[in-house]
Amino acid sequence: MSFDINWSTLESDNRLNDLIKKHLNSYLQTTQLPSYVSNLRVLDFDLGKVGPAITLKEITDPLDEFYDSIRDEVENSDAEENNNDKKEPEHASIEHSVVNQGSNNEDSEPLVIMPSPNDVQFLLEAEYKGDLLVTIGADLVLNYPVEKFMTLPVKLSISDIGLHSLCIAAYLSKQLFFSFLCDVSDPALDDSQVILDPKGPILAATKPLERISIVRSMKIETEIGEQYQGQGSTLRSVGELEQFMFTIFKDFLRKELAWPSWINLDFNDDSEQ
């Protein structure tokens, strides 16, 4: 069953765009850069006006891993509360019942998050060939004839992203959990890559699946000063930079969004305003 989502609401949410931009920059700061690149950062992120095509495959209860994540969040909030001698628990806004199975000592049993009747999880098929745009800034370092001979500012635009995947979306405790499971065969995107069988033991994975791509196609355009466009060494470095960004972008999505990783959007703060 296919259905429409109000993509314009997400696209116009500057806070969401800024949050994704911040997360991307945090990831880039931990990425080891090659010698020909420095000062790599995201300048702008735009979800675009064209949303994905979503097909609902199954409705189930949320996975235990998501409840475990909320439990860890509550325990961390309690620890911060105790450190700050606060009187009111920070997790009071979470709508689920929290049960402590032991006494209030170091040997007490872990908290248990009791499911709510409103909890739900969707297995979805997502197909995206939209107009999302990521603008990247970097300094291109020319190491010939000597190391760091010249530094050139460049701007890269990542667009025309194509993906077709199975994913899960779970809503519980006013939080949305989202993760990609596997790629779906698509004649418009397939190449020589091996595509995972959607019926395989996907959720048994304990690390990102090596054969899931998520992003199957994208376009990278680079802007550089006209005075450098004809130089052979500059063009070679630009080509290497574009290939490097292609790899980084795909690796970021696989590490951050492919099961058993997920993105978590917390709407508890919104309900308190």
Side-chain angles (χ1 to χ4, degrees):
M1 178 179 68
S2 62
F3 59 92
D4 297 327
I5 58 177
N6 191 356
W7 187 257
S8 61
T9 301
L10 296 177
E11 182 268 332
S12 61
D13 188 345
N14 293 328
R15 186 183 61 171
L16 178 59
N17 284 283
D18 290 342
L19 179 64
I20 298 175
K21 173 184 172 182
K22 181 179 179 180
H23 197 50
L24 281 168
N25 273 321
S26 297
Y27 181 79
L28 290 179
Q29 290 175 4
T30 63
T31 301
Q32 184 174 359
L33 302 179
S35 61
Y36 55 85
V37 183
S38 65
N39 196 24
L40 187 65
R41 73 275 184 201
V42 178
L43 300 177
D44 191 29
F45 182 91
D46 186 352
L47 278 173
K49 299 185 181 301
V50 179
I54 302 293
T55 303
L56 177 62
K57 294 294 188 180
E58 189 179 29
I59 301 177
T60 61
D61 294 329
L63 295 169
D64 292 340
E65 284 85 348
F66 299 141
Y67 290 103
D68 292 341
S69 175
I70 293 176
R71 181 201 63 206
D72 293 341
E73 175 190 344
V74 172
E75 290 178 341
N76 291 336
S77 296
D78 283 347
E80 293 179 4
E81 172 199 345
N82 292 333
N83 291 335
N84 296 327
D85 293 325
K86 292 182 179 179
K87 294 182 179 180
E88 209 167 312
E90 294 185 15
H91 63 265
S93 62
I94 294 181
E95 65 180 18
H96 285 67
S97 299
V98 179
V99 178
N100 192 330
Q101 294 181 332
S103 58
N104 294 326
N105 56 54
E106 295 181 355
D107 298 325
S108 62
E109 294 292 331
L111 296 174
V112 176
I113 304 298
M114 303 300 293
S116 163
N118 296 323
D119 297 348
V120 65
Q121 178 175 287
F122 303 103
L123 176 63
L124 307 170
E125 180 177 337
E127 181 180 2
Y128 179 79
K129 300 178 180 72
D131 56 345
L132 181 149
L133 177 64
V134 184
T135 306
I136 305 288
D139 291 334
L140 193 64
V141 182
L142 303 183
N143 294 306
Y144 182 83
V146 295
E147 185 176 357
K148 297 182 180 179
F149 174 69
M150 185 181 299
T151 301
L152 308 175
V154 296
K155 184 170 71 173
L156 301 95
S157 298
I158 301 176
S159 61
D160 291 358
I161 293 174
L163 63 87
H164 195 170
S165 304
L166 281 182
C167 51
I168 51 175
Y171 185 79
L172 57 154
S173 291
K174 297 181 182 178
Q175 298 186 46
L176 177 66
F177 295 83
F178 182 87
S179 179
F180 287 96
L181 300 180
C182 68
D183 296 329
V184 174
S185 181
D186 188 327
L189 298 173
D190 287 344
D191 50 23
S192 59
Q193 293 177 321
V194 177
I195 305 301
L196 289 179
D197 179 5
K199 298 180 181 179
I202 299 167
L203 296 177
T206 57
K207 61 181 180 179
L209 300 171
E210 295 182 357
R211 290 183 293 174
I212 183 172
S213 296
I214 301 182
V215 171
R216 315 269 280 282
S217 66
M218 72 169 66
K219 180 172 71 175
I220 300 180
E221 296 178 305
T222 304
E223 295 182 22
I224 190 171
E226 293 182 1
Q227 66 270 35
Y228 304 111
Q229 291 182 0
Q231 298 184 11
S233 59
T234 301
L235 294 178
R236 284 193 298 272
S237 296
V238 168
E240 292 174 350
L241 175 59
E242 291 179 348
Q243 182 59 45
F244 177 67
M245 286 307 308
F246 179 75
T247 302
I248 279 186
F249 197 74
K250 291 183 67 174
D251 286 349
F252 167 78
L253 292 176
R254 290 179 65 250
K255 291 178 181 177
E256 299 295 320
L257 293 179
W259 184 264
S261 297
W262 58 71
I263 187 172
N264 177 18
L265 301 177
D266 191 340
F267 300 102
N268 281 287
D269 291 339
D270 293 342
S271 62
E272 294 174 357
Q273 294 177 356

